[in-house]
Amino acid sequence: MALTTYEEARPWARAIREKVVTREMPPWFADPKFGKFQHDRRLSDAEIATLARWAEEGAPEGRAADGPPRKVWPEGWNLPRVDAVVGMTEQVTVPAHELLDYKYFVIASRFADDRWVQGVELRPLDRSVVHHAVVYVRKAGDTWTGGPTTNDILMVYAPGSAPDIFAEGMSKLIPSGADLVLEVHYTPAGEEARDRIDVGLMFAPQRPAKRVMTLQLASTGFVIPPGVRNRQVRAWGTFPNDALLIGFFPHMHLRGRAFEYSVVGEDGREETLLKVDNYDFYWQLTYRLAEPRLIRKGNRMNAVATYDNSAANPNNPDPGSAVS
């Protein structure tokens, strides 16, 4: 439902109170004991008390003169500007109920020279059937078209994602002659749908001081037995050089329960950087650090994903089956 005007919000006053008092809304799952992040959506105790009191008093309308200016939403792209648009050339039909394997689409960008990308945005035609999409940068001459890869990631998209816009002096690289490979996880929405995804690019005005890269910590060769509520899967990697860490994107599916990132420094001590205690498949969030964190060459990054394949997981479609 829309909540952009008083008339739209008023019928939901009691539900709003319930969701904010229980801290279910706005969605934000980072444990506050670990790290500080940009765009932290948590409401303060005072804000929660204000909303609760408003609902309890019958949700009165305030004076229009006291309100902020009406929000003007951008039409089209959300990037400040779009220098190039690439994407799928044909629409894909997503069936009403049949599950689909991941689909891969090669986007021949074929830029004649290196392009430094300071902003990128994905725009599906039908967001309701796109669980997530990943844009990989495939080097010239590479023939990879899906599966595990070491290729850099240009962007990860999930419904509700804001565009990726990097700070001045930071950009991602699309090397000359590289292609983009778009990985899409489509999920049925109860009726047949058609989708096509465009990728908008905002180029940096000059070569940046720092190149941004997205590194994957993943494990795919595991099984979650039926009924198991606390199946942990671990992955790790060592940094080949000094780097500035700018954010995280934990990703699991319906049986995901919790996620944690930590780093082990030169002294052997392990420090938690992000702890998500209540992962929600339907709210996939990017956690961008408030300030970049220096990670030294040789430091080890750990990721621990926890899965719940039991009946206690309300999102679990079949707690009686093993999942691999």
Side-chain angles (χ1 to χ4, degrees):
M1 71 291 236
L3 299 172
T4 55
T5 67
Y6 172 77
E7 290 75 19
E8 291 169 343
R10 171 65 182 83
W12 300 98
R14 293 179 62 185
I16 290 171
R17 180 194 180 282
E18 177 185 352
K19 294 297 182 181
V20 301
V21 167
T22 58
R23 295 190 180 272
E24 293 181 59
M25 290 288 150
W28 185 256
F29 310 109
D31 188 323
K33 294 191 295 292
F34 305 101
K36 295 185 182 299
F37 300 92
Q38 299 177 24
H39 313 301
D40 186 332
R41 297 186 175 113
R42 290 175 299 157
L43 298 179
S44 67
D45 291 342
E47 289 170 328
I48 292 173
T50 296
L51 285 167
R53 186 170 62 252
W54 170 72
E56 292 161 359
E57 293 176 354
E61 183 176 8
R63 294 195 316 155
D66 295 334
R70 186 176 181 87
K71 177 74 174 179
V72 178
W73 300 99
E75 295 184 3
W77 297 93
N78 292 286
L79 289 170
R81 70 174 192 278
V82 176
D83 298 316
V85 177
V86 297
M88 295 162 53
T89 57
E90 298 180 357
Q91 292 186 1
V92 172
T93 299
V94 181
H97 302 288
E98 178 186 352
L99 294 178
L100 300 176
D101 292 333
Y102 285 17
K103 291 189 173 294
Y104 294 86
F105 307 91
V106 177
I107 302 172
S109 59
R110 301 298 183 190
F111 293 124
D113 53 2
D114 290 351
R115 295 298 178 99
W116 291 96
V117 178
Q118 192 172 359
V120 56
E121 180 179 352
L122 266 67
R123 294 195 68 191
L125 185 65
D126 187 343
R127 292 176 297 174
S128 69
V129 293
V130 180
H131 173 257
H132 75 266
V134 184
V135 184
Y136 293 93
V137 180
R138 189 179 73 176
K139 300 182 183 70
D142 193 346
T143 59
W144 174 80
T145 55
T149 180
T150 58
N151 283 315
D152 191 16
I153 291 175
L154 186 64
M155 183 181 182
V156 178
Y157 166 90
S161 294
D164 275 351
I165 301 176
F166 303 107
E168 291 295 326
M170 293 186 178
S171 298
K172 288 204 167 187
L173 174 64
I174 302 178
S176 126
D179 295 320
L180 303 179
V181 178
L182 178 62
E183 173 195 278
V184 189
H185 179 197
Y186 284 113
T187 52
E191 58 183 35
E192 186 175 282
R194 295 182 67 80
D195 181 60
R196 184 176 63 81
I197 296 176
D198 285 332
V199 182
L201 304 173
M202 181 177 74
F203 298 131
Q206 58 192 16
R207 183 186 180 95
K210 297 179 176 64
R211 177 183 175 183
V212 178
M213 300 186 71
T214 300
L215 305 179
Q216 298 183 76
L217 283 176
S219 177
T220 56
F222 62 91
V223 175
I224 310 171
V228 170
R229 191 174 184 188
N230 193 39
R231 172 69 161 94
Q232 289 192 334
V233 177
R234 300 175 182 271
W236 63 274
T238 301
F239 279 77
N241 49 259
D242 289 355
L244 289 176
L245 180 67
I246 61 175
F248 306 92
F249 181 76
H251 177 70
M252 299 178 286
H253 288 188
L254 286 168
R255 294 166 178 84
R257 178 181 177 185
F259 212 105
E260 182 173 344
Y261 291 95
S262 63
V263 64
V264 180
E266 298 94 329
D267 57 3
R269 291 192 301 175
E270 184 172 11
E271 178 186 355
T272 298
L273 301 177
L274 170 66
K275 193 169 187 286
V276 174
D277 292 317
N278 297 293
Y279 178 85
D280 191 328
F281 171 77
Y282 296 106
W283 292 99
Q284 298 185 67
L285 306 182
T286 296
Y287 298 90
R288 187 74 63 89
L289 291 168
E291 296 291 339
R293 165 70 180 265
L294 177 63
I295 305 293
R296 292 295 187 184
K297 176 181 178 180
N299 285 183
R300 170 172 165 155
M301 182 72 70
N302 296 323
V304 181
T306 302
Y307 293 88
D308 182 354
N309 195 20
S310 74
N313 178 355
N315 293 327
N316 192 348
D318 185 5
S321 297
V323 181
S324 60

